[in-house]
Amino acid sequence: MKQDLFNSIAAGNLPLLAINLFPARDIPDRAIRLGTCLTYRCAAVSRDVTYDQWTALLANIAQLAKLCAQPHAAKIFRSIGVRRPRTVVIDLAREYAYAWDVAESNGLVLSAAEVLRVTRTRPVNDQLAAEFRALADTYRLVLQAMAPANGNALFRWLSESASVHIAQAQAVQAAI
C-alpha cells in the first residue's frame, strides 16, 4: 500500500487520492456548514477567506509531497540525514488527510475538486526550501483566518505545523 501511495504521490495524484478517499466531501460549491463554531470566532472570519486558505493549504501540501517524491529531493534529504526520504512523502500524505479532518471538524466543508483545481494551477517550483517556507506561511494564514483561541488544539496544531515546516526549510536550505 505504501509503495502505491508513494508512486501515486510522485505522479502528482495526492488530490486525486483525496477525491477517492473523501468522495462525500467533493461538494462543488463553497458550502460551509452553518451552526456553532466552537474553535474559532465565526463573526470575525470571512467564510470565503477561510475556505480559500484551507484549499491553499491542501494544495500546498499536495504540491510539496509531489516535489519531495522526486529523485533530486531524496538526495537532499539523505544529505541532511534522513535515512528514508519516502517517509517524508508519506508523512505529507498523512498531513494532507489530517488537514481534511481538521477542516471538517471545525465546520468547514471543502471541495476535493476545487483543491485539485488549485493544486494544478499552482506554479511549479523546484526550490524545496521555498516550498517548505510557503507551506509554513500558508499554515500561518490559516491560523490568522481561523483565529483559534490561544492554546487550544487547533491553535497548537496550526502553529506547530508552521514551525515544523520552517525548520524543514532551514535544514534543506543549509544542505543546498
Side-chain angles (χ1 to χ4, degrees), residues 33-122:
R33 285 193 203 127
L34 301 175
T36 358
C37 299
L38 301 176
T39 55
Y40 62 96
R41 299 180 304 245
C42 291
V45 177
S46 162
R47 292 174 191 262
D48 282 345
V49 168
T50 304
Y51 180 91
D52 291 345
Q53 294 304 333
W54 276 100
T55 300
L57 177 67
L58 290 166
N60 283 10
I61 295 170
Q63 186 164 358
L64 183 58
K66 179 181 178 183
L67 181 59
C68 289
Q70 303 307 312
H72 73 280
K75 290 177 186 175
I76 293 170
F77 290 136
R78 283 192 188 94
S79 75
I80 60 174
V82 176
R83 290 188 352 217
R84 296 182 182 161
R86 288 180 179 216
T87 59
V88 175
V89 178
I90 300 301
D91 288 346
L92 284 166
R94 286 185 182 120
E95 184 175 342
Y96 186 89
Y98 187 74
W100 273 108
D101 291 338
V102 170
E104 185 177 75
S105 70
N106 283 281
L108 188 65
V109 179
L110 299 170
S111 166
E114 178 66 8
V115 172
L116 178 60
R117 186 194 67 73
V118 170
T119 302
R120 286 182 173 163
T121 59
R122 285 194 73 225

